[in-house]
Every structure is written in C-alpha cells, then in structure tokens.
C-alpha cells in the first residue's frame, strides 16, 4: 500500500479553513494542544468513527494529525483500507508548533498533560531500572524484565508500532469518555 499523502505545516495552515482535521492522539495529549478546529478521535476509536469520517470525507478533505506523524499514518492506512482518502500532517503537532503556529487548548485545561511518547519513555525507563535493581537486590533473573523492555523497544522501532503506547492509551487519563466521543462524532457530522 502506498504511504498516505503528507501535507507540510505551511500548506496545512493555508488550507485550515477547508480541511476536516482529525487528531488521533489520546484525549490527554489533545488537551495539551491541538490544531485549530481539530476533532479528537483517538487512533483506537477510528473503526467506530468510520461511518462519520467517511461521510465527512464526502464533503471535504480530511487531514489526520498526531504528535509526530506515526499514528496519523497508521490512521490514514486504516481509513484507506475502508475507502476513505486522508492526508497526514508532516511532523505532526510537534512540527506545527516548531514552525511557530498556534496550538489551541480546551477551556478549563489547567494542568500540563504528557504526550504519549513521554509516557512511554518514563514507563520503559522505570521498568528497566526496576528490573536492574531487582536483579541486583533480589535475584539476577529479574534482569529479564530489562531485557524484555529493550527487545520491545527494538521491535517498536523496526515496526513503527508501540505496544506500550497501546497499553498506556487505555489508562483513564488517556481515554475519552463515551459522551466526549459521541459529541465529537456529532460535531464531525455537522461539518
């Protein structure tokens, strides 16, 4: 399958008013800052939202966004497999902000939310340290935990997927409430 079309940040900025922007990051990441007018449909909810996304794509071009571009590419592939054409933002919201474009935050968002990549780095690092510490203090077999995490990180890099991120996305602060997703899908239908 061919890779999805990618828009540079400047091209996306000039077309912002005509694009249907779907942010596939977790609700916590979305709350930390998103493109103006973006709707939050986390990657693991794309299948549920397919009928509404398909309907929206009939009315305008769809731009899928994430933090760096990896999750949005995966979402674009899922959409393409289901007959929906979508583009991804090159470099994601990180590139958008680095190019000096404004990120919007929902009203009432007071605390900083960690992005998924940062959550993965913290969890992986903590598990590696825990495995090494338990290997020194309790039993050397605990070093297998550290080796397992290292193997998972290599596999993640080679496949451009992340099982740990998928698991962390299921934590309550990373999950949309059903009412939030329903209201997002209703807003998508109105576009």
């Amino acid at each position: 399958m061919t890779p999805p079309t990618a828009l540079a940040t400047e091209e996306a900025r000039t077309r912002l008013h005509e694009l249907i922007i779907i942010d596939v990051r977790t609700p916590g990441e979305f709350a930390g800052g998103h493109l103006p007018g973006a709707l939050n449909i986390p990657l693991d909810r794309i299948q549920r939202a397919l009928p509404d996304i398909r309907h929206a794509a009939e009315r305008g071009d769809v731009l899928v966004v994430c933090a760096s571009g990896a999750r949005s590419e995966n979402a674009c592939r899922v959409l393409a497999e289901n007959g929906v054409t979508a583009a991804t933002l090159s470099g994601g919201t990180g590139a958008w902000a680095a190019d000096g474009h404004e990120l919007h935050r929902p009203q009432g968002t007071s605390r900083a939310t960690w992005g998924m990549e940062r959550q993965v780095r913290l969890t992986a690092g903590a598990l590696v340290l825990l495995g090494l510490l338990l290997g020194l203090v309790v039993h050397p077999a605990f070093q297998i935990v550290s080796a397992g995490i290292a193997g998972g990180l290599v596999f993640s890099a080679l496949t451009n997927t992340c099982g740990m991120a998928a698991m962390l996305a299921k934590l309550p602060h990373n999950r949309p409430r059903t009412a939030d997703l329903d209201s997002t899908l209703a807003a998508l239908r109105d576009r």
Side-chain angles (χ1 to χ4, degrees), residues 35-127:
L35 271 68
L39 297 171
N40 185 218
I41 303 174
L43 181 58
D44 64 343
R45 300 292 181 100
I46 287 291
Q47 289 288 347
R48 177 175 177 225
L50 263 172
D52 294 310
I53 296 171
R54 186 177 291 115
H55 183 68
E58 293 170 359
R59 297 186 314 271
D61 292 336
V62 175
L63 177 65
V64 183
V65 179
C66 69
S68 65
R71 284 179 279 179
S72 59
E73 284 183 16
N74 290 337
C76 285
R77 283 189 187 94
V78 169
L79 293 173
E81 290 167 2
N82 288 279
V84 178
T85 302
T88 184
L89 179 65
S90 293
T93 56
W96 180 268
D99 287 347
H101 305 304
E102 181 182 4
L103 291 174
H104 286 223
R105 289 171 178 77
Q107 294 288 7
T109 303
S110 57
R111 65 180 176 91
T113 305
W114 283 16
M116 185 56 67
E117 184 180 325
R118 188 174 181 191
Q119 292 178 49
V120 167
R121 288 192 316 256
L122 173 72
T123 304
L127 288 173

Side-chain angles (χ1 to χ4, degrees), residues 26-31 111-116 119 167-177:
T26 66
E29 291 175 290
F30 182 78
R111 65 180 176 91
T113 305
W114 283 16
M116 185 56 67
Q119 292 178 49
M167 290 175 60
L168 289 172
K170 296 186 182 313
L171 292 174
H173 68 279
N174 285 328
R175 304 283 303 159
R177 295 187 320 258

